Amino acid sequence: MALDLDGTLLDRAGRLPDDNRQAVVRARAAGLDVVLVTGRSWRGTQEYYAALELTGPAICYLGALVVADGSGRILTHRPLVPEAWALLRALALAEGLSVTACLGADQAVAAGELPAQDLIAFDTAYANCVAPDFTDWAGWNTYTELAADLAPCQVAPTMAAIYGDRAVRRVLELYPDGLPASQYDLTDRIAGETVLHVWHGSVDKGRALSDFCQARGYRPEDVVSVGDAYMDLGMIAFAGLGVAVPDGDPRLQAAADLVATPPDVVDRILKE
C-alpha cells in the first residue's frame, strides 16, 4: 500500500489525524506492506514515519531519494545533474534570486547499485537569500541555512526551490523548457507564496514505486496507491487500485479507480 503524505494522510495543516494513523496501523497488523511516497525530504518525513510505526523503505523527494528504513540508509539517490545546478546557482548569485538547495546526500546512487553501507540521508538545505516577495519564508524553510555565496552547495542538490514571483518569473523566462535533464513543479503558486521546484527529469512517484515493487516482487495488481495531487498521478496509474482522496485534485480523481479516504480504503482492502 503506497500512501502520499501531504493532503492524503496529513491534513492541510500538516497534522496526522488519528483515524488515518489507526488505519495504517490496522493495515500493517493485517500484513500489508505500507510505504510512504512523498515530495518531502527524509528529514521532513521521519516524524510521520515514526508515528505510523513503519520499518521499511520510504520514498522521498518524489522518488529522488529512497531510504531503506528508519536509519535513513540510502537505497537510491537521483539529484539534479551538475549542469542544471551550475546554471541555476550562477543565475541566483548574479541576480540575487532566492534559491534553496536541498541536499539529501552528497552523491548519487542509481537504482540497482549497491551504495556504501554508511551512506545516510543527511538532508541539509542552503539558500543564498530570503525572497522579499515571499510571505512565509520561515514556515517553508524550517531548517534552511543562509549562505550568500552558496559555497556549501558545490555538488548538485536533490532538489532546488526558487522562491517568490520575481525569481520564478526570471527562471521561467530564461529557461522556459527547463534546465538540462530537469523538470519543473509549479503547483505551489498562491498569492505571496510562489515556489518553483526543480527536480531531475526522471524523478517520478510512479517510477520510484515501480522500482520498489519490482525489488519486492510485487505486481502492479498487488498495489494500492492513495494520493491527492496531480503529481501523484504516476503512482495512481501504476497501481492495480488507484485511489484519490475526496478533496484531491479533480484531475487525479478523474484518473483514479476510486475516490475514498485512507481509512475507507484500508477497511475495503481488509474486508475483501
Side-chain angles (χ1 to χ4, degrees):
M1 187 171 189
L3 297 164
D4 169 57
L5 272 177
D6 292 279
T8 301
L9 280 180
L10 307 183
D11 63 21
R12 300 302 174 185
R15 297 170 301 214
L16 176 61
D18 192 59
D19 57 344
N20 285 353
R21 186 188 68 83
Q22 291 288 352
V24 173
V25 170
R26 290 199 307 276
R28 293 191 64 247
L32 297 183
D33 204 352
V34 176
V35 60
L36 299 179
V37 187
T38 176
R40 286 178 174 248
S41 66
W42 169 236
R43 185 170 179 169
T45 301
Q46 282 178 286
E47 172 189 352
Y48 307 106
Y49 181 95
L52 294 166
E53 304 175 25
L54 301 180
T55 58
I59 297 171
C60 304
Y61 287 111
L62 302 187
L65 180 74
V66 182
V67 300
D69 49 42
S71 72
R73 183 169 59 86
I74 293 175
L75 291 177
T76 63
H77 179 226
R78 185 169 288 145
L80 296 176
V81 298
E83 296 82 357
W85 174 237
L87 289 171
L88 186 56
R89 182 175 181 269
L91 178 62
L93 297 181
E95 301 191 11
L97 308 181
S98 179
V99 173
T100 295
C102 299
L103 292 87
D106 58 4
Q107 58 182 285
V109 177
E113 290 185 0
L114 184 65
Q117 294 302 307
D118 59 350
L119 187 55
I120 302 294
F122 49 74
D123 277 324
T124 57
Y126 298 95
N128 59 311
C129 62
V130 175
D133 57 349
F134 195 85
T135 58
D136 188 23
W137 173 267
W140 280 77
N141 292 273
T142 54
Y143 60 86
T144 299
E145 301 177 30
L146 289 176
D149 57 0
L150 290 176
C153 308
Q154 298 301 321
V155 299
T158 309
M159 180 269 290
I162 299 98
Y163 284 86
D165 288 331
R166 183 181 78 90
V168 170
R169 186 166 55 247
R170 182 60 173 153
V171 171
L172 293 178
E173 174 188 350
L174 290 176
Y175 303 105
D177 298 321
L179 292 152
S182 68
Q183 60 179 302
Y184 292 149
D185 170 29
L186 195 54
T187 53
D188 294 311
R189 188 163 200 168
I190 57 178
E193 293 186 4
T194 299
V195 186
L196 177 66
H197 294 99
V198 185
W199 313 87
H200 189 286
S202 65
V203 167
D204 176 75
K205 284 188 173 186
R207 179 177 292 130
L209 181 59
S210 174
D211 290 344
F212 166 82
C213 291
Q214 185 174 4
R216 291 292 182 100
Y218 294 138
R219 302 165 300 172
E221 54 265 35
D222 299 326
V223 181
V224 177
S225 292
V226 189
D228 76 303
Y230 191 66
M231 67 177 59
D232 297 323
L233 183 60
M235 60 186 266
I236 294 298
F238 168 77
L241 179 63
V243 183
V245 295
D247 59 348
D249 189 308
R251 295 172 296 177
L252 190 71
Q253 292 185 356
D257 302 303
L258 178 69
V259 176
T261 66
D264 287 343
V265 176
V266 171
D267 289 343
R268 171 175 173 154
I269 295 171
L270 299 186
K271 190 175 297 182
E272 293 180 353

